[in-house]
Amino acid sequence: MTVRTRFAPSPTGFLHIGGARTALFNALFARRHGGQYLLRIEDTDRARSTADAVRQILDSLAWLGLSPDEPPVFQSGRATRHAEVAHALLAMGRAYLAFETPEELQAMRERAAAEGRPPRYDGTWRDRDPAEAPPDRKPAIRLKAPRDGETVVADLVQGEVRVASAELDDMIILRSDGTPTYLHAVVVDDHDMGITHVIRGDDHLTNTFRQCQIYDAMGWHRPRFAHIPLIHGPDGAKLSKRHGAVSVLEFREQGYLPEAVCNYLLRLGWGHGDEEVIPRERAERIFDLDGVGRSASRMDYAKLTHLNSIYLRRADDERLTREVLERLAHRGVLFGTEGAERVRLLMPELKERAKTLEELAGAAAFAAQEGPPVIDSKAAALVATPEAKALLADLAQFLSDAPWERADLESWLRDYADVKGVKLGAVAQPLRAALTGSTQSPPIDAVLFALGRTEAMDRILAVAG
RNA sequence: GUCCCCAUCGUCUAGAGGCCUAGGACACCAGCCUUUCACGUUGGUAACACGGGUUCGAAUCCCGUUGGGGACGCCA
């Protein structure tokens, strides 16, 4: 049987980092076993689902490279089928009509809470004759759950977990308005979609037992379950916005690369010996459920950033140039084709020094922009003295007929420092300040080369006066 | 409250009874490299929650305690 997994978000908001990891694990598991990875949008409404959220989720998944192998299934379009199964259960005597109102149930729960009992449905209509129902009242359909024994789930991550039937009450599978409840819809959809492995957050572990009751009642084969631990914030509490970025799109905005985010997420809750840097292609070969841990993990932005810097260095220069130019334009930096070309030339050096695309853009700004850069305070101090200005003026003279190749520029600069009897740094730093407006930049010979003779001379003379 | 799950450095993890004086990675500290900044490199600080068992031997198995987390809707 070929493996089929699915990621089933509800479109009530953006895709967060925890959902992204669930999607990733589902996709990797399917790949690893040569199966398919599907997407089901759980928009069984409640007025909270929005088309905008669906759009965002799809965008986020696409960005992460986690688009499904088949078109997404929308749960809302399957209501008829959900009702059909509920009525089949009714016909089979595995479910019954329940006539109490939500208000009555609410009162029942409050009474239970007051008396310190678990809030469970008392089964009033389980054996009662529907003829006794109050007139004009629409019934909900409840599953007739087993009263004895226990339900056992052999979870692929959590191991064997069992719950006594006495802990579970008769859940509603079809509301009085004819719409399915979540627990029911999930089972019907997973069955119809041929899902073989349900990989999801372990907040669904307890739901699993009720879902199994539906599979069993219908005589359907249960899928394998794998409940993966949740991701918490750095402080151990539930991950929320106050911890920083949680939406996948926020990570994109902040300059993280999708492959770095995926690698980070992969290592959160899953390990394979000492391997840390695991590109997608390798992950698809080695990922499996037995490597998934059982305890919740915490979001560590520093480690994500570190991984990002690694992937940044490995990334294609053209791609990075495109990204950086886009971000610079967004920041309002003015540049033309020459500026863009300078950024492109410098990219191999720039990407070694940045941890995010945002940093990269910041470091590239001086090269992109037209004319002399804004000099920051540290850099200004380096070029403020008469000696520094004289040095720069002299350098400009020297460079006016230097050969314009990187290696040559470096040796000429070294020779120049030699002749002047100073260390290279004494020449490079003021030059760097004039050229980049900063005390930090890629190697000075690379900067000179990328800027080109004319632009370099202009910038030096603008400072030398 | 009831039920379920979890527990190795600050964080992510390796560890399937002897290979553990507990390994790697991030972060942090110090040194080296160096034209700045990064990168790289060398070294360092730092953990088996606690208490009982089982065993010749336990981070690894069992029980309990404590501490986290999750689920208990005509939400998903």
Side-chain angles (χ1 to χ4, degrees):
Chain A
M1 184 169 49
T2 111
V3 166
R4 279 167 77 84
T5 64
R6 73 354 182 233
F7 173 52
S10 59
T12 52
F14 50 75
L15 178 66
H16 62 87
I17 208 71
R21 186 182 59 159
T22 302
L24 176 68
F25 282 17
N26 273 286
L28 292 179
F29 184 78
R31 284 285 167 284
R32 168 65 199 271
H33 296 283
Q36 295 98 39
Y37 150 73
L38 313 181
L39 177 67
R40 183 173 68 237
I41 303 292
E42 310 238 303
D43 56 350
T44 312
D45 203 339
R46 277 293 63 90
R48 295 196 294 144
S49 301
T50 67
D52 192 51
V54 171
R55 174 88 262 138
Q56 273 214 28
I57 289 171
L58 261 22
D59 282 354
S60 298
L61 288 174
W63 181 67
L64 290 167
L66 295 173
S67 293
D69 297 335
E70 294 176 12
V73 170
F74 287 83
Q75 194 161 60
S76 57
R78 298 181 35 83
T80 310
R81 169 64 177 155
H82 300 143
E84 176 187 310
V85 173
H87 283 104
L89 251 8
L90 194 58
M92 290 158 66
R94 305 299 297 261
Y96 59 92
L97 298 175
F99 291 88
E100 53 277 306
T101 62
E103 292 70 34
E104 286 167 356
L105 290 172
Q106 181 59 30
M108 192 184 295
R109 274 192 292 274
E110 280 165 13
R111 220 177 307 129
E115 293 167 20
R117 288 182 291 109
R120 299 211 177 86
Y121 178 59
D122 61 11
T124 305
W125 289 94
R126 184 172 170 121
D127 304 306
R128 203 165 157 187
D129 186 347
E132 295 175 29
D136 300 332
R137 192 174 284 185
K138 287 254 203 270
I141 298 181
R142 282 185 187 269
L143 184 74
K144 195 176 282 183
R147 285 268 163 95
D148 307 309
E150 59 181 9
T151 303
V152 182
V153 172
D155 194 276
L156 263 14
V157 170
Q158 306 291 343
E160 195 172 274
V161 185
R162 48 187 69 222
V163 163
S165 298
E167 297 296 331
L168 275 15
D169 58 8
D170 294 341
M171 69 173 143
I172 290 175
I173 55 178
L174 203 69
R175 300 186 185 99
S176 50
D177 66 0
T179 60
T181 56
Y182 165 76
L183 252 20
H184 181 247
V186 166
V187 171
V188 174
D189 291 343
D190 282 339
H191 172 266
D192 289 359
M193 288 167 75
I195 301 303
T196 59
H197 297 260
V198 172
I199 304 170
R200 71 218 318 187
D202 74 8
D203 49 338
H204 288 284
L205 184 57
T206 19
N207 285 334
T208 307
F209 298 95
R210 318 184 85 106
Q211 295 182 348
C212 283
Q213 293 178 334
I214 299 178
Y215 281 103
D216 296 351
M218 282 303 290
W220 286 344
H221 192 261
R222 284 147 54 157
R224 302 305 304 275
F225 292 96
H227 288 92
I228 62 181
L230 270 17
I231 298 175
H232 292 157
D235 59 357
K238 195 169 177 180
L239 189 60
S240 69
K241 281 192 247 347
R242 73 192 164 84
H243 294 119
V246 286
S247 155
V248 168
L249 264 13
E250 280 181 275
F251 285 98
R252 173 162 72 178
E253 278 167 27
Q254 291 179 10
Y256 290 97
L257 262 18
E259 55 268 43
V261 172
C262 285
N263 193 149
Y264 175 71
L265 255 18
L266 175 63
R267 284 287 293 105
L268 211 51
W270 178 82
H272 186 79
D274 285 343
E275 282 191 66
E276 294 288 349
V277 181
I278 309 169
R280 174 67 56 90
E281 178 230 48
R282 171 141 181 85
E284 288 176 352
R285 278 205 314 273
I286 64 175
F287 179 80
D288 220 332
L289 260 13
D290 53 17
V292 178
R294 286 142 305 267
S295 53
S297 41
R298 303 183 184 207
M299 186 68 204
D300 181 356
Y301 293 92
K303 188 153 183 177
L304 201 213
T305 302
H306 174 257
L307 270 171
N308 203 58
S309 72
I310 291 174
Y311 280 95
L312 215 47
R313 272 175 262 149
R314 293 182 174 195
D316 175 68
D317 292 335
E318 283 304 315
R319 170 191 176 196
L320 294 179
T321 301
R322 220 164 33 242
E323 291 275 3
V324 161
L325 260 19
E326 213 168 275
R327 279 166 196 272
L328 287 176
H330 189 71
R331 290 182 184 196
V333 174
L334 298 174
F335 60 88
T337 52
E338 284 186 4
E341 184 53 26
R342 292 194 290 260
V343 171
R344 181 171 290 112
L345 281 173
L346 219 38
M347 191 50 73
E349 295 291 350
L350 287 168
K351 71 180 181 183
E352 297 281 333
R353 297 169 164 70
K355 293 188 185 303
T356 67
L357 288 173
E358 275 297 286
E359 273 187 35
L360 193 58
F366 84 86
Q369 68 191 190
E370 303 300 338
V374 177
I375 314 269
D376 71 30
S377 60
K378 276 188 187 169
L382 281 177
V383 294
T385 63
E387 295 76 32
K389 289 184 191 300
L391 172 78
L392 287 171
D394 190 45
L395 254 177
Q397 187 62 36
F398 177 82
L399 287 169
S400 65
D401 57 7
W404 218 259
E405 282 304 325
R406 256 198 83 169
D408 294 331
L409 281 166
E410 191 196 347
S411 53
W412 276 59
L413 275 173
R414 286 191 186 283
D415 290 347
Y416 179 86
D418 262 2
V419 169
K420 297 287 171 183
V422 297
K423 294 220 279 193
L424 184 52
V427 178
Q429 278 308 83
L431 188 53
R432 188 184 317 277
L435 258 19
T436 72
S438 164
T439 52
Q440 302 162 205
S441 84
I444 200 65
D445 48 305
V447 172
L448 278 168
F449 179 69
L451 287 176
R453 192 194 307 271
T454 311
E455 182 67 22
M457 302 281 285
D458 283 353
R459 292 187 184 196
I460 293 170
L461 293 174
V463 173

